[in-house]
Amino acid sequence: NIEVLDRLTLDQLRTLVVVAETGSFSAAGRSLRRVQSAVSQTIQGLETTLGVALFDRSTKSPTLTEAGRSLLEDARCLVDGADALRARAESIAFDIEPELTLAVEAMFPNSVLMESLKVLTRAFPDLPVTVFTEALGGGEQRLRDGAARLALYPPRTLANDQDFVSEFFAAIPMVPVVASDHPLAHVKSPVPRRVLEDQVQLVLTDRTQITARFSAGVISRRVWRFADLSTRLDYLLAGFGWCNMPAHMVEPHIVAGRLERLRLVENDSWNMPIHLVHPRHRPPGKAGRMLIADLRERLVKCGAGSVPAAGPLPMEPERKDGRRRHRKAG
């Protein structure tokens, strides 16, 4: 009952675990830096509280009874939970987040994020991490709902919001692409806008109301909308239409000949600005600051830490089929 549980102590449970693991009261005493009689008294007190015998003392070394074996795992769980609670409290006291929750724009280079998270987990191995991969207004929605403490995404509605801090973090090069067997892939470059207007454009749509009316980059009169980036990429590769994609995501497909980089008369390429956003009253703790610093360093090395010129991608040698490959900007 509740009264019995209230009389239990962590010291009693920890002593039970140590005696079971070391095999004797004397060995447990050495491990706990106590005299053997104190260990024995603690176990007797636990047995009295629970109303069951935990050890058989008729042999030279105490052995767990059936009840003892049954309750040992419960004791371990409670002790481990208490240790985790203490460690979490110590982390909070030393300005380490109890959990790192991050909402990331789906177009952000995931390989860069994973490398930074590896560094983070080595420094804070017990820190729980939650990563929400979001598109359009999803990152902001996670912040407003309190599900995420940090977010990396293109802010479109936070310019005058005093509840959040937003600063430029990276620029993601975007390029227009189409499947290599799509009619647009065989149009003479540069492709005029009027030609694009007659073709199906694959567009991301927001699952939230934050950017429901956002239409930047939409050129075609015929539009297919998708709720996630990976599905849109599948349809792009299958030749359903053209769209603007992050250069780092489509580069392997361009090199392999599955996609063709479109050269346009206007808006040949552009950069998607990614901002770091967090609630004003909840700035990043030590773990968040470490992650941010490592990400910044990696983004600067790959040229995305500052806004690069929005020009055409550098050319590479021709492929075997006679078409040219293009290397990702930055």
Side-chain angles (χ1 to χ4, degrees):
N1 58 40
I2 299 299
E3 292 183 0
V4 170
L5 291 176
D6 287 343
R7 292 197 298 270
L8 287 173
T9 68
L10 281 173
D11 180 63
Q12 290 175 326
L13 298 176
R14 194 181 301 277
T15 302
L16 167 62
V17 172
V18 174
V19 172
E21 290 178 346
T22 58
S24 70
F25 292 150
S26 58
R30 290 191 294 273
S31 177
L32 295 170
R33 296 184 179 181
R34 299 178 189 175
V35 296
Q36 179 178 337
S37 60
V39 173
S40 180
Q41 289 174 2
T42 300
I43 294 299
Q44 288 176 358
L46 179 59
E47 290 175 324
T48 300
T49 298
L50 296 176
V52 295
L54 300 173
F55 289 94
D56 180 358
R57 296 169 175 79
S58 63
T59 58
K60 183 177 180 180
S61 297
T63 57
L64 285 167
T65 63
E66 183 177 350
R69 289 192 297 272
S70 178
L71 294 173
L72 177 62
E73 286 308 311
D74 292 334
R76 281 199 177 104
C77 289
L78 289 170
V79 171
D80 290 345
D83 290 342
L85 176 64
R86 184 182 294 108
R88 186 76 59 85
E90 290 176 353
S91 294
I92 296 172
F94 286 99
D95 191 31
I96 301 172
E97 299 90 331
E99 180 180 6
L100 184 65
T101 50
L102 180 67
V104 184
E105 163 63 45
M107 297 189 188
F108 190 85
N110 197 41
S111 59
V112 175
L113 177 61
M114 287 193 292
E115 289 302 315
S116 292
L117 285 174
K118 288 179 182 178
V119 173
L120 183 76
T121 54
R122 286 195 291 269
F124 304 98
D126 298 322
L127 177 69
V129 176
T130 299
V131 179
F132 299 104
T133 302
E134 301 288 350
L136 298 177
E140 182 177 334
Q141 190 66 59
R142 293 289 187 181
L143 281 179
R144 293 194 180 278
D145 292 344
R149 183 168 177 173
L150 288 174
L152 293 169
Y153 67 96
R156 299 184 176 96
T157 65
L158 289 175
N160 300 314
D161 196 322
Q162 296 302 310
D163 293 331
F164 295 91
V165 175
S166 175
E167 60 177 303
F168 173 79
F169 196 74
I172 308 300
M174 304 289 292
V175 294
V177 287
V178 72
S180 57
D181 58 354
H182 190 279
L184 274 177
H186 306 289
V187 174
K188 183 179 179 180
S189 296
V191 181
R193 184 186 181 95
R194 58 179 175 77
V195 174
L196 289 178
E197 290 174 348
D198 293 333
Q199 299 293 331
V200 171
Q201 184 175 356
L202 310 179
V203 177
L204 286 178
T205 187
D206 200 349
R207 286 178 279 192
T208 72
Q209 294 301 311
I210 291 177
T211 58
R213 297 183 179 180
F214 182 74
S215 60
V218 179
I219 294 175
S220 300
R221 289 189 288 265
R222 302 163 59 198
V223 172
W224 284 31
R225 299 186 182 276
F226 300 86
D228 66 274
L229 189 63
S230 61
T231 301
R232 184 177 71 159
L233 177 58
D234 289 340
Y235 278 74
L236 173 68
L237 290 166
F240 282 85
W242 73 279
C243 65
N244 292 297
M245 286 288 290
H248 68 272
M249 283 189 175
V250 296
E251 179 184 17
H253 298 293
I254 293 173
V255 172
R258 293 184 290 269
L259 293 178
E260 192 71 20
R261 163 80 153 85
L262 293 175
R263 297 294 174 177
L264 311 181
V265 171
E266 57 186 55
N267 296 327
D268 188 68
S269 65
W270 53 283
N271 295 294
M272 173 181 288
I274 299 293
H275 283 220
L276 170 68
V277 188
H278 65 80
R280 190 173 298 277
H281 67 282
R282 294 187 69 197
K286 283 186 178 179
R289 293 195 297 270
M290 172 180 281
L291 177 66
I292 292 167
D294 193 82
L295 277 172
R296 284 191 190 281
E297 183 177 346
R298 293 179 190 279
L299 290 168
V300 167
K301 288 180 179 179
C302 70
S306 59
V307 181
L313 298 180
M315 300 293 291
E316 286 188 356
E318 290 186 354
R319 298 194 304 246
K320 292 181 180 181
D321 59 6
R323 296 175 183 170
R324 290 187 178 274
R325 298 182 301 180
H326 309 284
R327 181 179 294 129
K328 179 179 66 176

